[in-house]
Amino acid sequence: MKQIPIPIQRTLLKTILVSCAIMAFGIIWGLVSRDHIFLGLTGTVGILSGFKILGLYRLVQQQHYEILEGIVSSDLRVPLRNRHLLTLTDMEQQEHRIMISGKNTLTPGTACRLYLSGADDQAAQVSLPEPLIPARTLLGYEFLN
């Protein structure tokens, strides 16, 4: 765990805690109501959550993520798609346009370090129209001073 950056550790910990809370609620509710179907569904949710946590942990252990540092130029929500288009200017004044899944946006003008899943393939995305650009997952971020 010492090799994993702190923002990614927080994301992993939050995922584990939410999964455990859902499992605890489901088990308690299923036992109190004596509903075996609800307990089965809770077990299924637990197994799928375990796969998600294991996949995230393996992704981080294999260091299959990208770190970008810079100043947020803009962060625009894409309507009806649960995505936002982040424009980041790095220290070499190079502009990165990244489609990120999720609704949380970053404040323009702030300096931050982003941890993104996978590797960025700018060459393949140049020819795609903006709505078809695949979204990447933001594993974590931290503000720089």
Side-chain angles (χ1 to χ4, degrees), residues 40-140:
L41 291 173
T42 300
T44 304
V45 168
I47 291 169
L48 294 175
S49 297
F51 283 136
K52 180 177 178 89
I53 292 166
L54 183 63
L56 180 61
Y57 184 74
R58 285 183 46 192
L59 179 115
V60 173
Q61 281 296 97
Q62 295 171 356
Q63 295 183 349
H64 191 65
Y65 59 90
E66 181 181 7
I67 301 172
L68 284 177
E69 291 183 11
I71 299 172
V72 177
S73 301
S74 69
D75 198 358
L76 305 171
R77 288 189 181 167
V78 177
L80 305 173
R81 300 275 326 258
N82 195 24
R83 297 177 176 186
H84 55 105
L85 182 63
L86 177 70
T87 306
L88 187 78
T89 306
D90 63 10
M91 302 309 163
E92 291 88 29
Q93 300 303 316
Q94 184 178 4
E95 191 174 89
H96 300 274
R97 293 171 51 92
I98 309 157
M99 187 68 71
I100 299 177
S101 62
K103 294 181 181 179
N104 293 339
T105 58
L106 298 171
T107 307
T110 58
C112 59
R113 179 179 299 129
L114 305 175
Y115 298 90
L116 300 164
S117 67
D120 191 17
D121 190 9
Q122 291 274 345
Q125 295 179 2
V126 170
S127 61
L128 291 174
E130 194 170 292
L132 295 179
I133 296 174
R136 297 178 67 190
T137 303
L138 182 64
L139 299 174

